[in-house]
Amino acid sequence: MAAAMLSLFNYRLFVVTPTNHFMRISDNGHLYTSVVLWSLYFTLCFVGMIDISPDQTEARKWAMERYSCAKSAMSVPKLTIFTLDKLKRIGLMAGGLCILGFIIGISSVLLSFRYIKRRGNLSSKTKQMQKRFLIYLCVQVSVPLFSMIVPIGMLQYVFRTHSSTQRDLGNLACALVGSHGCIASLSLIMCNEPYRTFATSPLIRMWKWKLRSRQASREVTEFTLRSTQHQPS
């Protein structure tokens, strides 16, 4: 997912990069960069997953000593337990990949805005369109960041502290993960003009109808009051 997001930012950067710039190595430069990103992330994830499963006998013993309440779960068939030392390597790998992706993504966004501003052969309308595309892309990419990565960090904090008072924080993290689909769909609708127009046009029509109804009701009330005032006593 991270490689796909970075590939999208890389393509937007490639579109606005000047033709004589060294970053535009060829007409398919964005494809080469995307392949490099996919290969890098796949290789690092593959290396991080090697020998990640601990000895289950020792892992079950460790889990029973550390968490006495887990005794009832040990009878689950094909149960795989991961110890903290194995999970630590996964956490370090994921953290490193996130930092790398953050650096590449921020650099791509900043360079894209810079090239959009400095390209003189683009009309003002085209520049506004490119900026809008880039902003919408940032909004859509930020959805999994806040609805998946942040809750995972919150759950890791809860597991590390082993405090029962952090239950509300864990519930909030689970709620954020569950809301990912809804938030992603809303961002997709609002960031695409045809979808946004189709979804909001009924609401706009209803709002205008209510305004007209209120205006008509107000006019009728004012007319009734004026008629009452002009009637002879």
Side-chain angles (χ1 to χ4, degrees), residues 49 133 173 184 210:
M49 297 294 289
F133 285 163
K210 287 186 177 180

Side-chain angles (χ1 to χ4, degrees), residues 229-233:
Q229 292 175 357
H230 287 82
Q231 286 182 356
S233 56

Side-chain angles (χ1 to χ4, degrees), residues 134-183:
L134 192 58
I135 292 173
Y136 287 166
L137 179 60
C138 293
V139 171
Q140 291 182 276
V141 168
S142 64
V143 172
L145 175 64
F146 290 103
S147 62
M148 297 182 68
I149 298 178
V150 172
I152 290 174
M154 295 166 63
L155 290 176
Q156 288 181 346
Y157 171 75
V158 172
F159 292 150
R160 282 181 175 274
T161 55
H162 302 288
S163 176
S164 59
T165 59
Q166 303 294 339
R167 183 178 302 174
D168 294 338
L169 187 61
N171 294 336
L172 176 61
C174 294
L176 290 176
V177 173
S179 65
H180 168 71
C182 178
I183 298 175

Side-chain angles (χ1 to χ4, degrees), residues 87-168:
L87 293 177
K88 184 178 180 180
R89 188 175 66 179
I90 299 179
L92 292 175
M93 179 194 67
L97 292 177
C98 289
I99 294 174
L100 177 62
F102 181 79
I103 294 174
I104 296 176
I106 292 296
S107 301
S108 300
V109 172
L110 295 178
L111 287 175
S112 298
F113 278 113
R114 180 182 180 183
Y115 291 149
I116 290 174
K117 184 178 180 180
R118 292 193 173 188
R119 287 197 65 172
N121 59 337
L122 296 179
S123 63
S124 58
K125 186 176 181 179
T126 303
K127 290 182 179 180
Q128 291 296 329
M129 181 184 66
Q130 293 293 340
K131 289 181 180 179
R132 185 169 63 251
F133 285 163
L134 192 58
I135 292 173
Y136 287 166
L137 179 60
C138 293
V139 171
Q140 291 182 276
V141 168
S142 64
V143 172
L145 175 64
F146 290 103
S147 62
M148 297 182 68
I149 298 178
V150 172
I152 290 174
M154 295 166 63
L155 290 176
Q156 288 181 346
Y157 171 75
V158 172
F159 292 150
R160 282 181 175 274
T161 55
H162 302 288
S163 176
S164 59
T165 59
Q166 303 294 339
R167 183 178 302 174
D168 294 338

Side-chain angles (χ1 to χ4, degrees), residues 185-206:
S185 301
L186 289 176
S187 65
L188 177 64
I189 292 174
M190 300 308 296
C191 292
N192 290 273
E193 186 174 357
Y195 298 161
R196 183 173 66 249
T197 303
F198 178 80
T200 57
S201 56
L203 300 177
I204 295 175
R205 287 197 299 267
M206 184 181 299

Side-chain angles (χ1 to χ4, degrees), residues 73-94:
M74 295 301 167
S75 59
V76 176
K78 297 182 179 180
L79 176 66
T80 302
I81 300 175
F82 294 92
T83 55
L84 291 179
D85 57 335
K86 297 291 184 179
L87 293 177
K88 184 178 180 180
R89 188 175 66 179
I90 299 179
L92 292 175
M93 179 194 67

